[in-house]
Amino acid sequence: MNTETTRETDTRPDPLVLGDRTFRSRLLVGTGKYSDHETMNAALAASGCEVVTVAIRRVDLSSEDNLLTHLDRDRYFLLPNTAGCFNAEDAIRVCHLSRELGLGDWVKLEVLGDKQTLLPDPIGTLDACKTLVAEGFKVLVYSSDDPVMALRLQDAGATSVMPAGSPIGSGQGILNRNNLAIILEQLDVPVIIDAGVGTASDVTIAMELGAEGVLLNTGIAGAQDPISMAHAMRHALDAGWYAARAGRIPRRRYAQASSPTEGVLGE
Amino acid sequence: MIEVLLNGAAHQLASGSTVSSLLDQLPIEPTAVAVERNRQIVPRSLHSSTVIEVGDHLEVVTIVGGG
């Protein structure tokens, strides 16, 4: 038996290292928009994720229901986001509340600039990132796919820069491979592609480009069968991770026979 | 009774209420929330000793699903 082959088929992608933490999965999954908590938990399990994002909102004064009672804190690392914040001050406020909620110092920073596109406000994002890093937060920053902005966020001390593949919830996948490839080449901190993923192949493309991980929510939660899609996303991520390290063949304009050209019958 | 603004809406409370006594009246577990009073976080350790005043702006937040 070829032991090398056996070993290879048993491996999983290397764990994801962010700051001083190591995570078993490179897929980070949101907890929004599921039809019910059961479906959410089944989808999270099928995705194999460890990091799950959550939002912070005013308590519904008429309901006992709380997401915290539905998430296994031993299994999942909760990463609070600042979704819905349109300036640095509000985002920082949410991070302080998150700390008070006992969620620790890790945050997914989003400072949005426009309600229709939900694209990030680069100036507010950078300001908030600087302040939060100075306050000891580990900041995973949602960004546009602008390489210069990504560098600025790295310089500001971001633990991870997370450029969007395409607008949040749009399902358009990876729109600017060139910019993402530049970001991946230029940054030293881990880059996670966040937002826009519509289906499994988008995750594979992101990983083939060299991303350290992918963060998504609607792509799973909004699918007709979220559990099957979560399963697909997990394997798509693994596929992309291996492909990125396998050294793909170059693209050619013309065909190149894969069977021997010698000894063909009738020649 | 006193009136405060709780999560953006008018809310009646017994005078002398503390943050703890307010949270006890809400359906959610007090351990699952964070509280701001007039834009300042009230740490959990101070919930029982923080008396709510007329006109206070209170925010009680928790985690919800999000991406």
Side-chain angles (χ1 to χ4, degrees):
Chain A
M1 179 184 278
N2 184 333
T3 53
E4 186 66 18
T5 304
T6 306
R7 186 180 62 76
E8 284 299 320
T9 54
D10 286 346
T11 57
R12 296 265 310 133
D14 292 347
L16 171 65
V17 180
L18 297 175
D20 58 0
R21 282 184 173 269
T22 302
F23 299 102
R24 63 178 175 266
S25 169
R26 292 174 176 271
L27 196 61
L28 296 77
V29 180
T31 55
K33 296 192 189 174
Y34 291 93
S35 52
D36 54 73
H37 295 309
E38 250 182 23
T39 307
M40 176 192 76
N41 268 316
L44 293 179
S47 78
C49 73
E50 180 174 0
V51 179
V52 299
T53 56
V54 295
I56 291 170
R57 290 290 181 273
R58 285 172 165 166
V59 164
D60 177 355
L61 299 176
S62 61
S63 170
E64 284 182 23
D65 196 42
N66 186 252
L67 181 65
L68 275 174
T69 59
H70 298 283
L71 281 172
D72 181 353
R73 299 285 299 273
D74 293 330
R75 178 170 186 173
Y76 298 115
F77 179 83
L78 270 51
L79 179 66
N81 68 32
T82 63
C85 291
F86 283 81
N87 59 64
E89 188 190 354
D90 288 350
I92 292 163
R93 185 182 178 194
V94 167
C95 293
H96 292 163
L97 286 164
S98 163
R99 211 179 228 173
E100 172 62 18
L101 273 165
L103 296 177
D105 293 332
W106 286 65
V107 291
K108 174 189 165 183
L109 175 64
E110 283 181 41
V111 179
L112 304 176
D114 175 65
K115 288 193 172 171
Q116 189 171 23
T117 60
L118 297 181
L119 288 171
D121 172 2
I123 296 161
T125 301
L126 188 60
D127 285 348
C129 184
K130 286 178 182 167
T131 302
L132 290 166
V133 168
E135 292 182 3
F137 283 94
K138 306 291 179 215
V139 189
L140 285 63
V141 196
Y142 171 64
S143 175
S144 69
D145 58 19
D146 173 7
V148 176
M149 182 62 192
L151 281 171
R152 295 287 178 272
L153 291 169
Q154 172 176 274
D155 293 346
T159 296
S160 171
V161 176
M162 306 202 295
S166 53
I168 294 172
S170 71
Q172 294 191 70
I174 309 296
L175 288 183
N176 194 336
R177 295 187 197 195
N178 191 59
N179 270 19
L180 292 178
I182 291 170
I183 291 172
L184 288 160
E185 197 173 287
Q186 291 192 332
L187 264 63
D188 296 319
V189 298
V191 173
I192 293 168
I193 306 302
D194 176 7
V197 167
T199 187
S201 51
D202 299 332
V203 174
T204 303
I205 290 167
M207 294 307 290
E208 283 176 345
L209 285 170
E212 288 288 324
V214 175
L215 196 164
L216 60 96
N217 186 351
T218 310
I220 292 178
Q224 286 192 16
D225 179 350
I227 299 159
S228 289
M229 188 56 91
H231 190 72
M233 295 297 191
R234 172 188 193 156
H235 290 286
L237 187 136
D238 290 5
W241 190 84
Y242 283 113
R245 281 149 191 81
R248 59 152 296 158
I249 62 165
R251 286 187 171 85
R252 296 170 188 275
R253 176 155 300 143
Y254 295 106
Q256 195 182 39
S258 39
S259 302
T261 51
E262 304 295 313
V264 176
L265 289 179
E267 274 188 356
Chain B
M1 298 291 278
I2 59 168
E3 187 168 294
V4 298
L5 208 59
L6 173 61
N7 286 359
H11 189 84
Q12 304 283 331
L13 278 174
S15 47
S17 291
T18 62
V19 169
S20 287
S21 54
L22 165 68
L23 295 182
D24 286 343
Q25 292 167 23
L26 303 181
I28 192 169
E29 278 292 314
T31 53
V33 303
V35 180
E36 259 188 8
R37 175 177 174 238
N38 303 327
R39 304 277 301 210
Q40 296 290 315
I41 286 177
V42 184
R44 207 172 295 278
S45 58
L46 298 180
H47 284 188
S48 57
S49 59
T50 301
V51 177
I52 296 170
E53 312 269 356
V54 178
D56 273 357
H57 286 215
L58 299 161
E59 297 286 354
V60 182
V61 303
T62 189
I63 69 161
V64 299

